[in-house]
Amino acid sequence: MKITEMHVTPIVLGDPPLLNAAGLHAPWCLRTVVEIVADNGLTGLAEVPGSAATNAKLEAARDVVLGRDPRNWHGLRGALRERFGVESIAARGDKPWDQRALVQVESALDVACLDLQGKAYGVPVAQLLGGVVRERVPYAAYLFYKYEGAGGDLAFGTDPKATGWAAARQKAALDPAGVVAQAEAMVAEFGFESIKLKGGCFPPEQEVAAMKALRERFGPKMPLRLDPNALWTVETSIKWGKELEDVLEYFEDPCRTQEGMAAVRKALKLPLATNMCTTSFDDLPGSVRHGCEDIILTDHHFWGGLRASMELAAHCRTFGRGVSMHSNNHAGISFAAMTHLGAAMPNLTYALDTHYPWQWEEIIIGGRIKIEGGFVTLPKGPGLGVELDRAALAKAHANFKRAGLKERNDEIEMQKKVPGWKFAQTRW
Ligand code: GKR
Ligand code: MG
């Protein structure tokens, strides 16, 4: 098998005004769809977070990719590293999400090659990752503080005809009662059995009160998580973490650095999770040395692909870490890839994060992937088990051109609501 074509298509999907440590989501979130075509006529798909930098790297990778055998991942990855080198950990940046571009190029090609192989052999990607350990993969409700509004074409309004979760998705949620109402609607629609709140938006007492209100409403059987995206100091994390010891399943990235997280972990009787202090293979020695977290949130887009995430899972098993999954806004190709990884990872110990309920558009045939009882069933069919809906892709690409976004910048979006607002690495 040889790769004969590679296509890179930037798209946007509507995104409501969700708050986080870095500001506010724009009315559109950026994604990039990658297709590789082989000489047997089969196509492999992948999706990564979109940015001008990643897209440029993907375009630059084309001549390394063409002519290669998609079954020889080590050969292709080696050639990519020879061409582009390896990114430093510092390139991740200080935002909640990872800003490296090369890991995303590797991820896109790893996933697309696996999809191609799965289609050629007639087996699901999860099988190529070692086998299907579970057919149904658990996901968690992912709550956000938010302003009123729907995002996308409804950026400056709401759809008065919306009902159920679609209506709740448009409502503001800025205090504990709003957060509980959002959780009720999301859990009723999707049946989630764990809940995460994106924090780092309001003073700790307000976010801790929201977690206590969730506990009060859903009881001790519903695992809860809070993620302030490292905006709290070590002292603040310890002070408010003590209030949460009997409330949370885990506390995600309360503060910055492996040393900071290790100090918090020593002081609290509460598992800590991260997608900010241990985010690459180069961080693993420090993770073991400092003992900075109990759970590592993998994300195949940022760890260099599905196979790399399986390597991370093996490391977690060896060093006694739990594994869960981080997410950013995404569409169905990424959701399918995340689900194959969740299906194949033997030591998956927690329900995975997904932003999927916040989007409503899709670019795959058949439309939205179903989340039922909090689980996604492994897609049927070979490879990832999803196919591109060409008309939907063309529409999302036209919206990309119309939106005129080059990269995610939540600070600029926040400044439209709060003039002069600035991102701070540490706020409380
Ligand atoms: O989508 O606003 C967001 C999140 O803050 C996201 O960017 C983070 O990367 O979900 C993420 C996290 O768990 O840190
Ligand atoms: Mg996080």
Side-chain angles (χ1 to χ4, degrees):
M1 230 193 302
K2 291 244 175 311
I3 302 171
T4 54
E5 293 171 41
M6 173 172 164
H7 305 284
V8 177
T9 311
I11 61 166
V12 293
L13 301 170
D15 196 13
L18 308 179
L19 287 148
N20 71 25
L24 187 65
H25 285 211
W28 304 101
C29 65
L30 285 150
R31 304 294 291 176
T32 296
V33 173
V34 177
E35 295 167 76
I36 54 172
V37 184
D39 53 1
N40 56 7
L42 294 173
T43 299
L45 298 176
E47 174 195 332
V48 287
S51 75
T54 303
N55 296 343
K57 281 272 172 347
L58 281 164
E59 292 291 350
R62 185 177 285 106
D63 68 302
V64 178
V65 173
L66 295 187
R68 295 216 161 246
D69 185 334
R71 295 165 298 190
N72 182 359
W73 173 239
H74 291 151
L76 174 50
R77 191 175 60 178
L80 289 167
R81 289 189 178 177
E82 208 168 289
R83 168 69 65 89
F84 298 115
V86 179
E87 270 165 329
S88 74
I89 307 175
R92 184 203 175 277
D94 55 5
K95 299 288 183 323
W97 61 93
D98 199 313
Q99 287 169 290
R100 290 174 298 163
L102 285 178
V103 280
Q104 298 185 50
V105 172
E106 286 190 9
S107 168
L109 292 166
D110 165 78
V111 174
C113 287
L114 283 167
D115 188 29
L116 205 46
Q117 276 172 265
K119 284 172 175 160
Y121 306 149
V123 296
V125 163
Q127 197 123 318
L128 300 174
L129 296 175
V132 178
V133 179
R134 58 190 73 75
E135 290 275 351
R136 292 172 73 242
V137 177
Y139 284 90
Y142 198 156
L143 310 181
F144 278 84
Y145 286 108
K146 79 176 283 286
Y147 292 130
E148 179 89 22
D153 281 325
L154 286 168
F156 304 109
T158 50
D159 176 1
K161 294 190 295 303
T163 57
W165 165 244
R169 190 175 48 212
Q170 303 181 16
K171 287 211 179 90
L174 297 165
D175 57 13
V179 168
V180 169
Q182 187 185 96
E184 284 172 341
M186 204 188 253
V187 167
E189 177 78 13
F190 301 101
F192 292 120
E193 293 176 343
S194 310
I195 298 177
K196 162 172 168 171
L197 173 64
K198 172 58 49 181
C201 309
F202 293 109
E205 52 269 40
Q206 188 172 334
E207 299 189 350
V208 168
M211 297 317 298
K212 289 185 176 174
L214 286 168
R215 162 52 80 91
E216 180 75 22
R217 167 62 186 80
F218 290 95
K221 290 213 175 108
M222 179 68 91
L224 301 176
R225 312 155 182 183
L226 174 66
D227 177 10
N229 274 131
L231 275 218
W232 297 4
T233 62
V234 168
E235 295 68 35
T236 303
S237 305
I238 294 172
K239 177 175 169 210
W240 291 101
K242 285 204 183 294
E243 298 269 326
L244 294 169
E245 280 181 341
D246 295 325
V247 176
L248 295 187
E249 174 187 41
Y250 62 69
F251 198 11
E252 186 175 323
D253 288 314
C255 62
R256 284 194 187 270
T257 75
Q258 292 189 324
E259 290 85 344
M261 287 280 283
V264 173
R265 184 163 174 253
K266 271 201 199 90
L268 295 179
K269 290 188 208 69
L270 190 54
L272 295 195
T274 189
N275 64 279
M276 292 186 74
C277 80
T278 303
T279 60
S280 73
F281 289 97
D282 290 347
D283 288 323
L284 293 180
S287 156
V288 173
R289 209 168 45 246
H290 296 294
C292 45
E293 76 278 307
D294 300 273
I295 299 131
I296 299 181
L297 305 180
T298 187
D299 180 328
H300 72 270
H301 308 92
F302 299 136
W303 281 84
L306 298 172
R307 285 174 270 220
S309 292
M310 291 298 288
E311 274 178 48
L312 172 65
H315 166 90
C316 288
R317 192 181 57 237
T318 306
F319 290 99
R321 303 282 189 277
V323 194
S324 190
M325 199 183 287
H326 164 264
S327 141
N328 276 130
N329 287 114
H330 60 87
I333 302 172
S334 280
F335 206 16
M338 290 156 72
T339 303
H340 279 273
L341 182 58
M345 210 177 255
N347 50 332
L348 178 77
T349 31
Y350 299 93
L352 313 179
D353 284 1
T354 177
H355 284 53
Y356 199 65
W358 291 103
Q359 268 63 62
W360 57 94
E361 295 150 300
E362 239 325 335
I363 52 164
I364 54 170
I365 290 174
R368 307 279 300 162
I369 291 174
K370 282 198 175 51
I371 305 172
E372 285 168 321
F375 288 78
V376 174
T377 302
L378 194 63
K380 298 274 172 268
L384 291 173
V386 296
E387 292 297 340
L388 270 177
D389 175 336
R390 295 272 159 204
L393 183 73
K395 182 174 167 219
H397 181 58
N399 282 342
F400 165 79
K401 290 191 181 152
R402 197 155 61 91
L405 296 172
K406 296 226 169 336
E407 59 179 14
R408 178 173 173 181
N409 189 327
D410 292 13
E411 186 180 72
I412 290 181
E413 206 52 37
M414 187 73 162
Q415 285 168 355
K416 295 179 189 163
K417 292 269 185 191
V418 184
W421 191 90
K422 281 260 166 250
F423 168 70
Q425 280 197 343
T426 307
R427 202 176 284 281
W428 289 285

